[in-house]
Amino acid sequence: MLEVHDAVVRYGAITALHGISFEVAQGEIVALLGANGAGKTTTLRMLSGLHSPQSGQIIFEGQDVTTTKAHQFTSLGIGHVPEGRRIFPQMTVEENLEMGAFGRRGSYSDDMERMYQTFPILKERRKLIGGNLSGGEQQMLAIGRALMGQPRLLLLDEPSMGLAPMIVETIFRIIGEIRDSGTTVLVVEQNAAQALRLADRGYVMENGRIVFGDSASNLLTDARVRAVYLGESADS
Amino acid sequence: MKRYFANTHFKRLMSSVAAMAILELMTGPPGSALDPTAGFTGSFGEASSFFGLFRTQRWVVFLFIAFIMFGLWTSWLTWGAQVKTATTKAMSVPRSVSHKQPVRWGVTLVLLVVALLLPHLITDPFWQAAMVEQIAVYVLLALGLNVVVGFAGLLDLGFVAFYAIGAYTTAWVTGALPTAAPFGIHFNNFYAIPIAIGLAMGAGIILGAPTLRLRGDYLAIVTLGFGEIITIFANNLYGITGGSQGTKTIPHFSLHVGPVKYLWGLTPVPYYYLTIVFVILFLIGFRLLEHSRVGRAWTAIREDEVAAESVGINPLKYKVMAFAIGASTAGFAGVVTASQSNTIFPSSFTLQFSINILVLVIFGGMGSITGVVLGAIVIQTGSMYLLHTPPAGYQPQDLYIYLGALLVVMMIFRPAGLVPSRRRHREIGLAEAGEGHMDEVLTGDTP
Ligand SMILES: Nc1ncnc2c1ncn2[C@@H]1O[C@H](COP(=O)(O)OP(=O)(O)O)[C@@H](O)[C@H]1O
Ligand SMILES: [Mg+2]
């Protein structure tokens, strides 16, 4: 579904991605792991057009999308839940979800109903403005907004960041449901243990390179991953 | 003594006195070698003075004002927070449009009737002229700039350029410029409207397309420069624009359709009705625009440009659109002014003009159509009043002192403007609570 070949991204003089290659197949959940500053966010930003790669190639569903502009990615079928959620803080929950359907023609009220079923809390809060929601609710809203664009590939950047364990649990359950309903998911996580339990495969990034990738179950037992990313959670 | 300086009340009192002393100097008569302190000791001296109070020396009056200011300031610190939370609460309740709709239609209808009757209620020729030249036209300009600044969140400091383009286009099309009119035909002013709107819009797109990629503060600089360039062109392209003399031969609007003939002339009332019709059309148009898909895209871009892109909005496209719509409104206003006054001078297209319109928008409430209309009416009526009936000692150039002071006071007490847009009010409320960010237009920082 998605192939990335030798992608290089620079921020001015800083090279954030030194030629990374990976792929995501239809129907998978793929986890992208790595420490702070490894280049995970940059990778997702590149995959939604917010940063074009200096060199390399991105192929989505057989189509070269390397130089496609950010605002065209929703209509291609790629949805992005950015780091820090970035909901529209002064729009209501309802308006936020409607914005998610901006690129679509025709009615989207069925999808709104579906979002409210997936996230009942958003239905309760639908007249409240986004900025007044709790972190978990904002994360759900950000995911809901991206889903309103009917993506076939959903990019999630640290959906568990700053959330209480119970809410993280809910979010991860919903990510599973999203995959089950047919949307492929590429998720960036620092919370490696939980991400790998959910994912089918994973890649590990370090300093702008993908150092290795494997099936999630292999990564969970991999000594290197356990040592560096799972730390104390490996014992539990 | 030291104890006094540490006392916050004392500090506040002293700042009030100092502020008023400065205002006193700025507004007072100039001192001379013989009387160096005239700014303080001069008198308000007119016979019309209030209970003889203003016949006293200026410093007494200003000291009095300083004490009042100190009182207001202190009570604001004491009770202001309560007032603010109360208004914020009221404002953040979602508006239930349904049952208020009839009321709003009623108010609109009453306002419409008042607007139409106004020239018959106000018969003073000064005010009749002011209603067209200084109020209705400025309402139009404020509405246009509001699309750029309020809806799209772009700081445009060169708005006057598009107004000038509109005015010069009118002169060109009607054959009032040294350069030949298009096709050698002297068109009726009505034809100037679409041409001026088109040219202003074109200029907006040409200027906007490359510069709107820039961050907010750079955009302000580029538009500032553009405003200056247009004025300099108008001044120096003698053979085309008539140079610093401008032109004085622009005809009035005239209508000649079949048996119907009408010529707008020197009397302001017919122009008032003509302008009011256009103001209403623009009002309706902008109201629809605000709630359209385009309006929602502007809101999204203003709130978070990256998020807007990721839901499929092309920020550049919508920013250029806002810029072009604002520009064409100014271009249209230029047609009205040029036709009504028959004259244009490059010296009237200054940076100060752009700032003036911006003040109307900020004062009224960025993003709020009702707000900017009201803001334009209030400020322009106020400045015309000061011009027509100047209080003792008032000089025309003092106006900007008062406008400046008014803006400062507004920013303290009603930072979102006279009639804040609901959303803008929430934005500022959230920013103060440390969530989200205020608009870059106000703070100058982009996320
Ligand atoms: N806007 C930027 N400008 C310059 N350097 C950046 C910018 N964003 C990220 N970087 C750098 O790129 C590298 C990768 O960052 P990022 O993709 O955010 O990592 P991660 O999401 O894995 O924490 C880091 O070294 C970071 O400092
Ligand atoms: Mg990151």
Side-chain angles (χ1 to χ4, degrees), chain A residues 45 50 70-71 74 80 86-91 95 98-100 102-105 108 127 129 131-132 145, chain B residues 94 293 296-297 299-300 303-304 306-315 318 423 426-427 430 435-436 447:
Chain A
R45 285 174 63 86
L50 293 166
H71 59 89
T74 30
H80 187 181
R86 303 197 85 137
I87 53 156
F88 299 113
Q90 288 84 36
M91 291 191 194
E95 288 168 331
E98 282 169 3
M99 286 314 303
F102 189 86
R104 286 169 59 181
R105 302 280 158 192
Y108 46 78
K127 294 287 176 199
I129 61 166
N132 285 348
R145 186 182 66 188
Chain B
R293 194 180 145 77
R296 289 191 299 141
T299 310
E303 288 196 8
D304 190 330
V306 172
E309 267 187 291
S310 75
V311 298
I313 295 167
N314 179 354
Y318 286 97
R423 189 157 271 137
R426 297 196 298 231
E427 277 166 29
L430 281 175
E435 291 170 63

CSV table of all heavy atoms in Angstrom, one decimal, chain A residues 45 50 70-71 74 80 86-91 95 98-100 102-105 108 127 129 131-132 145, chain B residues 94 293 296-297 299-300 303-304 306-315 318 423 426-427 430 435-436 447:
chain,number,residue,atom,x,y,z
A,45,ARG,N,5.3,13.5,9.0
A,45,ARG,CA,5.1,14.8,8.3
A,45,ARG,C,5.4,14.7,6.8
A,45,ARG,O,4.7,15.3,5.9
A,45,ARG,CB,5.9,15.9,8.9
A,45,ARG,CG,5.3,16.4,10.3
A,45,ARG,CD,6.3,17.4,10.9
A,45,ARG,NE,6.4,18.6,10.2
A,45,ARG,CZ,5.6,19.6,10.3
A,45,ARG,NH1,4.6,19.6,11.1
A,45,ARG,NH2,5.8,20.7,9.5
A,50,LEU,N,3.7,17.5,4.6
A,50,LEU,CA,4.1,18.8,5.3
A,50,LEU,C,5.5,19.1,5.1
A,50,LEU,O,6.0,20.2,5.3
A,50,LEU,CB,3.7,18.6,6.8
A,50,LEU,CG,2.2,18.6,7.0
A,50,LEU,CD1,1.9,18.2,8.5
A,50,LEU,CD2,1.6,20.0,6.8
A,70,ALA,N,0.5,19.1,0.8
A,70,ALA,CA,-0.1,18.6,2.0
A,70,ALA,C,-1.6,18.5,1.9
A,70,ALA,O,-2.2,17.6,2.3
A,70,ALA,CB,0.3,19.5,3.2
A,71,HIS,N,-2.2,19.6,1.3
A,71,HIS,CA,-3.7,19.6,1.4
A,71,HIS,C,-4.3,18.6,0.4
A,71,HIS,O,-5.5,18.5,0.4
A,71,HIS,CB,-4.1,21.1,1.1
A,71,HIS,CG,-3.7,21.6,-0.3
A,71,HIS,ND1,-4.4,21.4,-1.4
A,71,HIS,CD2,-2.5,22.2,-0.6
A,71,HIS,CE1,-3.7,21.9,-2.4
A,71,HIS,NE2,-2.6,22.4,-1.9
A,74,THR,N,-5.4,14.3,1.9
A,74,THR,CA,-6.7,13.8,2.4
A,74,THR,C,-7.5,13.1,1.2
A,74,THR,O,-8.0,12.1,1.4
A,74,THR,CB,-7.6,14.8,3.0
A,74,THR,OG1,-7.3,16.1,2.4
A,74,THR,CG2,-7.4,14.9,4.5
A,80,HIS,N,-3.9,12.2,8.7
A,80,HIS,CA,-2.8,12.4,9.6
A,80,HIS,C,-3.4,12.9,10.9
A,80,HIS,O,-4.1,13.9,10.9
A,80,HIS,CB,-1.9,13.4,9.0
A,80,HIS,CG,-0.6,13.6,9.8
A,80,HIS,ND1,0.4,14.5,9.4
A,80,HIS,CD2,-0.2,13.0,10.9
A,80,HIS,CE1,1.4,14.5,10.2
A,80,HIS,NE2,1.1,13.6,11.2
A,86,ARG,N,-3.4,18.9,17.7
A,86,ARG,CA,-3.7,20.0,16.8
A,86,ARG,C,-5.2,20.1,16.4
A,86,ARG,O,-5.5,20.2,15.2
A,86,ARG,CB,-2.8,20.1,15.6
A,86,ARG,CG,-1.4,20.1,16.0
A,86,ARG,CD,-0.5,20.5,14.9
A,86,ARG,NE,-0.5,22.0,14.8
A,86,ARG,CZ,0.7,22.7,14.5
A,86,ARG,NH1,1.8,22.0,14.3
A,86,ARG,NH2,0.6,24.0,14.5
A,87,ILE,N,-6.1,19.9,17.3
A,87,ILE,CA,-7.5,20.1,16.9
A,87,ILE,C,-7.7,21.7,16.8
A,87,ILE,O,-6.8,22.4,17.2
A,87,ILE,CB,-8.4,19.6,18.0
A,87,ILE,CG1,-8.0,20.1,19.4
A,87,ILE,CG2,-8.4,18.1,18.0
A,87,ILE,CD1,-9.1,20.2,20.3
A,88,PHE,N,-8.8,22.1,16.2
A,88,PHE,CA,-9.1,23.5,16.2
A,88,PHE,C,-9.6,23.9,17.5
A,88,PHE,O,-10.7,23.6,17.9
A,88,PHE,CB,-10.0,23.8,15.1
A,88,PHE,CG,-9.5,23.4,13.7
A,88,PHE,CD1,-10.1,22.4,13.0
A,88,PHE,CD2,-8.4,24.1,13.2
A,88,PHE,CE1,-9.6,22.0,11.8
A,88,PHE,CE2,-7.9,23.7,11.9
A,88,PHE,CZ,-8.5,22.7,11.2
A,89,PRO,N,-8.8,24.7,18.3
A,89,PRO,CA,-9.2,24.9,19.7
A,89,PRO,C,-10.5,25.7,20.0
A,89,PRO,O,-11.1,25.5,21.0
A,89,PRO,CB,-8.0,25.6,20.3
A,89,PRO,CG,-7.3,26.2,19.2
A,89,PRO,CD,-7.6,25.3,18.0
A,90,GLN,N,-10.8,26.6,19.0
A,90,GLN,CA,-12.0,27.4,19.3
A,90,GLN,C,-13.2,26.9,18.5
A,90,GLN,O,-14.3,27.5,18.5
A,90,GLN,CB,-11.7,28.8,18.9
A,90,GLN,CG,-10.8,29.5,19.9
A,90,GLN,CD,-9.4,29.2,19.6
A,90,GLN,OE1,-9.0,29.2,18.5
A,90,GLN,NE2,-8.5,29.0,20.6
A,91,MET,N,-13.1,25.8,17.8
A,91,MET,CA,-14.3,25.3,17.1
A,91,MET,C,-14.9,24.2,18.0
A,91,MET,O,-14.2,23.6,18.8
A,91,MET,CB,-13.9,24.6,15.8
A,91,MET,CG,-13.4,25.6,14.7
A,91,MET,SD,-13.3,24.7,13.2
A,91,MET,CE,-12.4,25.9,12.2
A,95,GLU,N,-17.9,21.0,14.9
A,95,GLU,CA,-17.3,21.8,13.8
A,95,GLU,C,-15.9,21.2,13.5
A,95,GLU,O,-15.6,21.1,12.3
A,95,GLU,CB,-17.1,23.2,14.2
A,95,GLU,CG,-18.4,24.0,14.3
A,95,GLU,CD,-18.2,25.4,15.0
A,95,GLU,OE1,-17.3,25.5,15.9
A,95,GLU,OE2,-18.9,26.3,14.6
A,98,GLU,N,-16.6,18.2,11.4
A,98,GLU,CA,-17.0,18.7,10.0
A,98,GLU,C,-15.8,19.1,9.2
A,98,GLU,O,-15.8,18.9,8.0
A,98,GLU,CB,-18.1,19.8,10.1
A,98,GLU,CG,-19.4,19.4,10.5
A,98,GLU,CD,-20.4,20.5,10.9
A,98,GLU,OE1,-19.9,21.7,10.8
A,98,GLU,OE2,-21.5,20.3,11.2
A,99,MET,N,-14.9,19.8,9.9
A,99,MET,CA,-13.7,20.3,9.1
A,99,MET,C,-13.0,19.0,8.6
A,99,MET,O,-12.4,19.1,7.5
A,99,MET,CB,-12.7,21.0,10.1
A,99,MET,CG,-13.1,22.4,10.4
A,99,MET,SD,-13.7,23.5,9.1
A,99,MET,CE,-12.4,23.5,8.0
A,100,GLY,N,-13.0,17.9,9.3
A,100,GLY,CA,-12.4,16.7,8.8
A,100,GLY,C,-12.9,16.3,7.5
A,100,GLY,O,-12.2,15.6,6.7
A,102,PHE,N,-13.8,18.3,5.1
A,102,PHE,CA,-13.7,19.4,4.2
A,102,PHE,C,-13.4,19.1,2.8
A,102,PHE,O,-14.0,19.6,1.9
A,102,PHE,CB,-12.6,20.4,4.7
A,102,PHE,CG,-12.6,21.7,4.0
A,102,PHE,CD1,-13.4,22.7,4.4
A,102,PHE,CD2,-11.8,21.9,2.9
A,102,PHE,CE1,-13.4,24.0,3.8
A,102,PHE,CE2,-11.8,23.1,2.2
A,102,PHE,CZ,-12.6,24.1,2.7
A,103,GLY,N,-12.5,18.1,2.6
A,103,GLY,CA,-12.1,17.8,1.2
A,103,GLY,C,-13.2,16.9,0.5
A,103,GLY,O,-13.0,16.6,-0.7
A,104,ARG,N,-14.2,16.5,1.2
A,104,ARG,CA,-15.2,15.6,0.6
A,104,ARG,C,-16.3,16.3,0.0
A,104,ARG,O,-16.7,17.4,0.4
A,104,ARG,CB,-15.7,14.6,1.7
A,104,ARG,CG,-14.7,13.6,2.1
A,104,ARG,CD,-15.2,12.9,3.3
A,104,ARG,NE,-16.5,12.2,3.1
A,104,ARG,CZ,-17.2,11.6,4.1
A,104,ARG,NH1,-16.6,11.5,5.2
A,104,ARG,NH2,-18.3,11.0,3.8
A,105,ARG,N,-16.9,15.7,-1.1
A,105,ARG,CA,-18.1,16.3,-1.6
A,105,ARG,C,-19.3,15.4,-1.1
A,105,ARG,O,-19.1,14.3,-0.7
A,105,ARG,CB,-18.1,16.1,-3.2
A,105,ARG,CG,-16.9,16.9,-3.8
A,105,ARG,CD,-17.2,18.4,-3.9
A,105,ARG,NE,-15.9,19.1,-4.0
A,105,ARG,CZ,-15.8,20.4,-3.9
A,105,ARG,NH1,-16.9,21.1,-3.6
A,105,ARG,NH2,-14.7,21.0,-4.0
A,108,TYR,N,-22.1,13.9,4.7
A,108,TYR,CA,-21.2,13.1,5.6
A,108,TYR,C,-21.9,12.9,6.9
A,108,TYR,O,-21.2,12.5,7.9
A,108,TYR,CB,-19.8,13.8,5.8
A,108,TYR,CG,-19.9,15.3,6.1
A,108,TYR,CD1,-20.3,15.7,7.4
A,108,TYR,CD2,-19.7,16.2,5.1
A,108,TYR,CE1,-20.4,17.0,7.7
A,108,TYR,CE2,-19.8,17.6,5.4
A,108,TYR,CZ,-20.1,18.0,6.7
A,108,TYR,OH,-20.3,19.3,7.0
A,127,LYS,N,-21.2,20.1,21.6
A,127,LYS,CA,-21.3,21.6,21.5
A,127,LYS,C,-20.2,22.3,22.2
A,127,LYS,O,-20.2,23.5,22.3
A,127,LYS,CB,-22.7,22.0,22.1
A,127,LYS,CG,-23.9,21.5,21.3
A,127,LYS,CD,-24.0,22.2,19.9
A,127,LYS,CE,-25.1,21.7,19.1
A,127,LYS,NZ,-25.0,22.1,17.7
A,129,ILE,N,-16.3,23.6,23.0
A,129,ILE,CA,-15.2,23.9,22.1
A,129,ILE,C,-14.0,23.0,22.4
A,129,ILE,O,-13.8,22.6,23.5
A,129,ILE,CB,-14.8,25.4,22.1
A,129,ILE,CG1,-14.4,25.8,23.5
A,129,ILE,CG2,-16.0,26.3,21.6
A,129,ILE,CD1,-13.7,27.1,23.5
A,131,GLY,N,-10.9,23.4,22.6
A,131,GLY,CA,-9.8,23.8,23.6
A,131,GLY,C,-10.2,23.4,25.0
A,131,GLY,O,-9.4,23.4,25.9
A,132,ASN,N,-11.5,23.2,25.3
A,132,ASN,CA,-11.9,22.9,26.7
A,132,ASN,C,-12.0,21.4,27.0
A,132,ASN,O,-12.4,21.1,28.0
A,132,ASN,CB,-13.3,23.6,26.9
A,132,ASN,CG,-13.2,25.1,27.1
A,132,ASN,OD1,-12.0,25.6,27.3
A,132,ASN,ND2,-14.3,25.8,27.1
A,145,ARG,N,-11.5,13.4,13.6
A,145,ARG,CA,-11.4,14.4,12.5
A,145,ARG,C,-10.7,13.8,11.3
A,145,ARG,O,-11.2,13.9,10.2
A,145,ARG,CB,-10.7,15.6,13.0
A,145,ARG,CG,-10.7,16.7,12.0
A,145,ARG,CD,-9.9,17.9,12.5
A,145,ARG,NE,-8.5,17.6,12.7
A,145,ARG,CZ,-7.6,18.4,13.2
A,145,ARG,NH1,-8.0,19.6,13.7
A,145,ARG,NH2,-6.3,18.1,13.4
B,94,PRO,N,-23.0,28.4,23.7
B,94,PRO,CA,-23.3,28.3,22.2
B,94,PRO,C,-24.6,29.1,22.0
B,94,PRO,O,-25.6,28.9,22.7
B,94,PRO,CB,-23.5,26.8,21.9
B,94,PRO,CG,-23.1,26.1,23.2
B,94,PRO,CD,-23.0,27.0,24.3
B,293,ARG,N,-18.4,27.5,3.2
B,293,ARG,CA,-17.3,26.6,3.2
B,293,ARG,C,-16.0,27.5,3.2
B,293,ARG,O,-15.0,27.1,4.0
B,293,ARG,CB,-17.3,25.9,1.8
B,293,ARG,CG,-16.5,24.7,1.7
B,293,ARG,CD,-16.8,24.1,0.3
B,293,ARG,NE,-15.5,23.6,-0.2
B,293,ARG,CZ,-15.0,22.4,0.2
B,293,ARG,NH1,-15.7,21.7,1.0
B,293,ARG,NH2,-13.9,22.0,-0.3
B,296,ARG,N,-15.4,28.8,6.6
B,296,ARG,CA,-14.9,27.8,7.6
B,296,ARG,C,-13.4,27.5,7.3
B,296,ARG,O,-12.7,27.3,8.3
B,296,ARG,CB,-15.8,26.5,7.5
B,296,ARG,CG,-17.1,26.7,8.0
B,296,ARG,CD,-17.9,25.4,8.2
B,296,ARG,NE,-18.0,24.8,6.9
B,296,ARG,CZ,-17.9,23.5,6.7
B,296,ARG,NH1,-17.6,22.7,7.7
B,296,ARG,NH2,-18.1,23.0,5.5
B,297,ALA,N,-13.1,27.5,6.1
B,297,ALA,CA,-11.6,27.3,5.8
B,297,ALA,C,-10.8,28.4,6.4
B,297,ALA,O,-9.7,28.2,6.9
B,297,ALA,CB,-11.4,27.3,4.2
B,299,THR,N,-11.5,30.2,9.0
B,299,THR,CA,-11.4,30.0,10.5
B,299,THR,C,-10.3,28.9,10.8
B,299,THR,O,-9.5,29.1,11.7
B,299,THR,CB,-12.8,29.6,11.0
B,299,THR,OG1,-13.7,30.5,10.5
B,299,THR,CG2,-12.8,29.6,12.5
B,300,ALA,N,-10.4,27.9,10.0
B,300,ALA,CA,-9.5,26.8,10.3
B,300,ALA,C,-8.0,27.2,10.1
B,300,ALA,O,-7.2,26.9,11.0
B,300,ALA,CB,-9.8,25.6,9.4
B,303,GLU,N,-6.9,29.3,13.0
B,303,GLU,CA,-6.7,28.6,14.2
B,303,GLU,C,-5.5,27.7,14.2
B,303,GLU,O,-4.8,27.6,15.2
B,303,GLU,CB,-8.0,27.8,14.6
B,303,GLU,CG,-9.1,28.7,15.0
B,303,GLU,CD,-10.2,28.0,15.7
B,303,GLU,OE1,-10.0,26.8,16.0
B,303,GLU,OE2,-11.3,28.6,15.9
B,304,ASP,N,-5.3,27.0,13.1
B,304,ASP,CA,-4.1,26.2,13.1
B,304,ASP,C,-3.9,25.8,11.6
B,304,ASP,O,-4.5,24.9,11.0
B,304,ASP,CB,-4.4,24.9,13.9
B,304,ASP,CG,-3.1,24.1,14.0
B,304,ASP,OD1,-2.2,24.1,13.1
B,304,ASP,OD2,-2.9,23.4,15.1
B,306,VAL,N,-1.4,24.3,10.1
B,306,VAL,CA,-1.0,22.9,9.8
B,306,VAL,C,-2.1,22.0,9.8
B,306,VAL,O,-2.3,21.1,8.9
B,306,VAL,CB,0.1,22.5,10.8
B,306,VAL,CG1,0.5,21.0,10.6
B,306,VAL,CG2,1.4,23.4,10.6
B,307,ALA,N,-3.0,22.1,10.9
B,307,ALA,CA,-4.1,21.2,11.0
B,307,ALA,C,-5.1,21.5,9.8
B,307,ALA,O,-5.6,20.5,9.2
B,307,ALA,CB,-4.9,21.5,12.3
B,308,ALA,N,-5.2,22.7,9.4
B,308,ALA,CA,-6.1,23.0,8.2
B,308,ALA,C,-5.6,22.3,7.0
B,308,ALA,O,-6.4,21.7,6.3
B,308,ALA,CB,-6.1,24.5,8.0
B,309,GLU,N,-4.3,22.3,6.8
B,309,GLU,CA,-3.7,21.6,5.6
B,309,GLU,C,-4.0,20.1,5.7
B,309,GLU,O,-4.3,19.5,4.7
B,309,GLU,CB,-2.2,21.8,5.6
B,309,GLU,CG,-1.8,23.0,4.7
B,309,GLU,CD,-0.3,23.0,4.6
B,309,GLU,OE1,0.4,23.3,5.6
B,309,GLU,OE2,0.2,22.8,3.5
B,310,SER,N,-3.9,19.6,6.9
B,310,SER,CA,-4.0,18.2,7.0
B,310,SER,C,-5.5,17.7,6.9
B,310,SER,O,-5.8,16.5,6.8
B,310,SER,CB,-3.4,17.6,8.3
B,310,SER,OG,-4.2,17.9,9.4
B,311,VAL,N,-6.5,18.7,6.9
B,311,VAL,CA,-7.8,18.2,6.6
B,311,VAL,C,-8.1,18.6,5.2
B,311,VAL,O,-9.3,18.5,4.7
B,311,VAL,CB,-8.9,18.8,7.5
B,311,VAL,CG1,-8.7,18.4,9.0
B,311,VAL,CG2,-8.9,20.3,7.5
B,312,GLY,N,-7.1,19.0,4.4
B,312,GLY,CA,-7.4,19.2,3.0
B,312,GLY,C,-7.6,20.6,2.5
B,312,GLY,O,-8.1,20.8,1.4
B,313,ILE,N,-7.3,21.6,3.4
B,313,ILE,CA,-7.5,23.0,3.0
B,313,ILE,C,-6.2,23.5,2.4
B,313,ILE,O,-5.1,23.3,3.0
B,313,ILE,CB,-7.9,23.8,4.2
B,313,ILE,CG1,-9.2,23.4,4.7
B,313,ILE,CG2,-7.9,25.3,3.8
B,313,ILE,CD1,-9.6,24.0,6.0
B,314,ASN,N,-6.2,24.1,1.2
B,314,ASN,CA,-5.0,24.7,0.7
B,314,ASN,C,-4.9,26.2,1.2
B,314,ASN,O,-5.6,27.1,0.7
B,314,ASN,CB,-5.2,24.8,-0.9
B,314,ASN,CG,-4.0,25.4,-1.5
B,314,ASN,OD1,-3.1,25.9,-0.9
B,314,ASN,ND2,-4.0,25.3,-2.9
B,315,PRO,N,-4.1,26.4,2.2
B,315,PRO,CA,-4.1,27.7,2.9
B,315,PRO,C,-3.8,28.8,1.9
B,315,PRO,O,-4.5,29.9,2.0
B,315,PRO,CB,-2.9,27.6,3.9
B,315,PRO,CG,-2.7,26.1,4.0
B,315,PRO,CD,-3.1,25.5,2.7
B,318,TYR,N,-6.9,30.0,-0.1
B,318,TYR,CA,-7.9,30.7,0.7
B,318,TYR,C,-7.4,32.0,1.2
B,318,TYR,O,-8.2,33.0,1.3
B,318,TYR,CB,-8.4,29.8,1.8
B,318,TYR,CG,-9.3,28.8,1.3
B,318,TYR,CD1,-8.9,27.5,1.1
B,318,TYR,CD2,-10.7,29.0,1.0
B,318,TYR,CE1,-9.7,26.5,0.5
B,318,TYR,CE2,-11.5,28.1,0.4
B,318,TYR,CZ,-11.0,26.8,0.2
B,318,TYR,OH,-11.8,25.8,-0.3
B,423,ARG,N,-16.1,33.7,18.3
B,423,ARG,CA,-14.9,32.9,18.2
B,423,ARG,C,-13.7,33.6,18.7
B,423,ARG,O,-12.9,33.1,19.4
B,423,ARG,CB,-14.7,32.4,16.8
B,423,ARG,CG,-13.7,31.3,16.6
B,423,ARG,CD,-13.9,30.5,15.4
B,423,ARG,NE,-14.8,29.4,15.6
B,423,ARG,CZ,-15.8,29.0,14.8
B,423,ARG,NH1,-16.1,29.7,13.8
B,423,ARG,NH2,-16.5,28.0,15.1
B,426,ARG,N,-13.5,33.8,22.3
B,426,ARG,CA,-13.0,32.6,23.0
B,426,ARG,C,-11.5,32.4,22.8
B,426,ARG,O,-10.8,32.0,23.6
B,426,ARG,CB,-13.7,31.4,22.3
B,426,ARG,CG,-15.2,31.4,22.6
B,426,ARG,CD,-15.9,30.1,22.3
B,426,ARG,NE,-15.7,29.7,20.9
B,426,ARG,CZ,-16.7,29.3,20.2
B,426,ARG,NH1,-18.0,29.2,20.7
B,426,ARG,NH2,-16.5,28.9,19.0
B,427,GLU,N,-11.0,32.8,21.6
B,427,GLU,CA,-9.6,32.7,21.3
B,427,GLU,C,-8.8,33.4,22.3
B,427,GLU,O,-7.8,32.9,22.9
B,427,GLU,CB,-9.2,33.2,19.9
B,427,GLU,CG,-9.5,32.2,18.8
B,427,GLU,CD,-9.5,32.9,17.4
B,427,GLU,OE1,-8.8,33.9,17.2
B,427,GLU,OE2,-10.2,32.3,16.5
B,430,LEU,N,-9.0,31.8,25.8
B,430,LEU,CA,-8.2,30.6,25.9
B,430,LEU,C,-6.8,31.0,26.0
B,430,LEU,O,-6.0,30.4,26.8
B,430,LEU,CB,-8.5,29.7,24.7
B,430,LEU,CG,-9.7,28.9,24.7
B,430,LEU,CD1,-9.8,28.1,23.4
B,430,LEU,CD2,-9.7,27.9,25.9
B,435,GLU,N,-4.2,28.3,27.1
B,435,GLU,CA,-4.4,27.2,26.2
B,435,GLU,C,-4.6,27.8,24.8
B,435,GLU,O,-5.0,28.9,24.7
B,435,GLU,CB,-5.8,26.5,26.5
B,435,GLU,CG,-5.8,25.8,27.8
B,435,GLU,CD,-7.2,25.3,28.1
B,435,GLU,OE1,-7.7,24.6,27.4
B,435,GLU,OE2,-7.7,25.7,29.2
B,436,GLY,N,-4.2,27.1,23.8
B,436,GLY,CA,-4.3,27.6,22.5
B,436,GLY,C,-3.4,28.8,22.3
B,436,GLY,O,-2.6,29.1,23.2
B,447,PRO,N,2.7,29.9,15.2
B,447,PRO,CA,3.1,28.6,15.8
B,447,PRO,C,4.0,27.8,14.9
B,447,PRO,O,4.0,28.1,13.7
B,447,PRO,CB,1.7,27.9,16.0
B,447,PRO,CG,0.8,28.6,15.1
B,447,PRO,CD,1.2,30.0,14.9
